[in-house]
Amino acid sequence: MNPLHPSLIEESPVYPLQDEIWSGESGQGYALRMSSGNGIGGLVQVKHMLGRNRFHTLSSQDAPRLAEWFGASVERLELALERVQEQRRVNGCSYMGHGLGRSYFLNRFYPRVCPDCLQESGYCRAAWDFSLAVACAMHKRLLIDCCPACARTLNWHRPCVGVCDCGYPWAAVDVLEEPTPWELTLAQWIDSRMDDGHRRTVASLKSMAKDDEVEYPLAPFMAGLSLDGLFRMTYALATAYSYTPDSQDQKRNRGALPKARQTIEWAGSIGLRLARGEHVTLARRPSVLLDLLGEAATGANTVSPDSSSAQSLLEALLIHSPASRWAAKHSSLAQMVLF
């Protein structure tokens, strides 16, 4: 019998709608866009075709088959899907070409969208997949993670990129909630590192750092970091705030988006105090803080701006605090003062 007889060959599905993944598009968003366009039935069916369960997060390992089905180049699709280091998320991951040392820097399960962007461009931005991305710098609005009509949390199993499971189109959302200056600043920094960043607000970064030094005193310091360093510094500043007496009576927010907003708020608060040279007291042992900054300062994959910034931030936080004796865990950190 002919081993190449068509009846013995398991053919890959051929879908009529073929398209390249767009610059700055989320890999999971691409799979959702293409499955919707081809009438497949959403990502649940795509995952079933891949032999995955519905709770699986699409990763770079799925890129070859998705590219074959929908027409994207494997290389570009792999870049827009999470690549796990050493097959374990605890060791970090890579996304959009950026190495991330902590798994929680990436938001895999609770998607957010800017309705204005979806209406204008029709694709889910990869920038929205980062945990600290809470705003759209282009439209100066908060991202949404819940449907305004049914109040359900957004998910990747919706019928298409711009419609909720309940059938409500998010392009119809006209109630804008304004983000804080720090939330917009972080959104601009993330945008500047994305493939579609040239369409957005990269130019405003320089003007913001130059013209708004009073309101954004840390902009020149933070804007030069890698994406991993930027997230580490933000979480480190927020963690430092959580160690101060001021935070003890404050309620911790629940939900991915409210938590991210609180993290940014706390980071901005403590960062502003440090930039002004104000006294900061750490009320308890800052173990998580030391780990975040120590890894950023001395890690094998650390870039120079991240290292010097981590060293400077650690020194600034500990120099006025009795917690300085705890720095011995990372005794290799240099005494380089930035603030």
Side-chain angles (χ1 to χ4, degrees):
M1 181 179 292
N2 185 354
L4 298 181
H5 190 278
S7 64
L8 301 180
I9 300 176
E10 183 179 353
E11 296 183 356
S12 296
V14 178
Y15 295 107
L17 178 61
Q18 299 279 298
D19 197 9
E20 180 61 271
I21 184 170
W22 298 343
S23 295
E25 185 174 13
S26 161
Q28 292 205 104
Y30 168 79
L32 175 58
R33 177 168 67 86
M34 298 306 295
S35 65
S36 173
N38 283 290
I40 295 175
L43 286 191
V44 172
Q45 181 62 26
V46 170
K47 293 175 184 179
H48 176 73
M49 292 161 55
L50 290 168
R52 315 287 193 182
N53 64 51
R54 63 180 292 115
F55 304 106
H56 172 72
T57 301
L58 298 180
S59 70
S60 59
Q61 294 181 333
D62 303 314
R65 295 183 70 187
L66 292 172
E68 183 180 2
W69 295 343
F70 301 134
S73 66
V74 175
E75 294 77 13
R76 292 186 61 176
L77 190 51
E78 284 180 338
L79 194 70
L81 290 168
E82 180 187 13
R83 183 188 297 274
V84 180
Q85 297 181 12
E86 301 177 9
Q87 306 304 314
R88 298 179 60 197
R89 284 199 171 98
V90 70
N91 295 324
C93 65
S94 176
Y95 188 63
M96 294 301 291
H98 298 275
L100 303 174
R102 295 292 179 103
S103 63
Y104 55 82
F105 291 171
L106 199 60
N107 177 28
R108 302 171 184 83
F109 307 109
Y110 306 100
R112 304 160 191 168
V113 301
C114 169
D116 293 320
C117 287
L118 289 180
Q119 187 174 31
E120 294 172 7
S121 60
Y123 71 94
C124 296
R125 299 192 63 227
W128 302 338
D129 291 342
F130 294 103
S131 297
L132 292 181
V134 302
C136 175
M138 175 175 284
H139 297 105
K140 303 296 188 292
R141 64 172 298 165
L142 284 177
L143 304 179
I144 64 169
D145 68 342
C146 292
C147 175
C150 68
R152 293 177 182 173
T153 303
L154 273 59
N155 63 73
W156 284 114
H157 298 154
R158 58 189 190 266
C160 62
V161 295
V163 175
C164 178
D165 288 334
C166 71
Y168 186 79
W170 296 316
V173 176
D174 57 4
V175 179
L176 307 182
E177 184 177 356
E178 293 186 359
T180 66
W182 278 105
E183 290 168 345
L184 276 178
T185 300
L186 197 58
Q188 289 172 320
W189 285 333
I190 295 173
D191 278 355
S192 69
R193 293 157 172 83
M194 295 293 102
D195 287 347
D196 56 351
H198 66 281
R199 297 181 52 246
R200 300 190 166 260
T201 55
V202 179
S204 67
L205 290 170
K206 297 180 180 179
S207 62
M208 179 181 63
K210 179 180 179 181
D211 299 334
D212 298 327
E213 291 182 357
V214 175
E215 191 169 3
Y216 305 104
L218 296 182
F221 162 63
M222 299 283 275
L225 301 177
S226 71
L227 206 54
D228 182 64
L230 178 63
F231 294 153
R232 286 182 184 275
M233 297 305 121
T234 303
Y235 276 103
L237 287 167
T239 302
Y241 182 87
S242 72
Y243 289 146
T244 64
D246 297 341
S247 72
Q248 300 310 304
D249 296 328
Q250 294 192 29
K251 182 180 179 180
R252 268 59 170 179
N253 289 341
R254 295 187 176 183
L257 184 60
K259 282 182 179 179
R261 296 194 68 190
Q262 187 173 59
T263 296
I264 297 170
E265 177 190 357
W266 286 4
S269 176
I270 202 72
L272 190 61
R273 290 167 60 180
L274 289 174
R276 291 172 175 171
E278 296 178 7
H279 179 76
V280 176
T281 299
L282 303 183
R284 54 194 176 91
R285 182 184 178 93
S287 56
V288 176
L289 172 65
L290 290 174
D291 287 342
L292 279 166
L293 296 179
E295 291 168 9
T298 61
N301 298 322
T302 298
V303 298
S304 180
D306 292 356
S307 177
S308 61
S309 296
Q311 294 165 358
S312 302
L313 182 54
L314 184 64
E315 176 68 10
L317 286 169
L318 299 185
I319 194 170
H320 298 301
S321 170
S324 58
R325 64 182 181 274
W326 300 324
K329 178 179 178 181
H330 300 287
S331 58
S332 61
L333 298 181
Q335 303 301 303
M336 178 180 177
V337 180
L338 175 69
F339 300 98

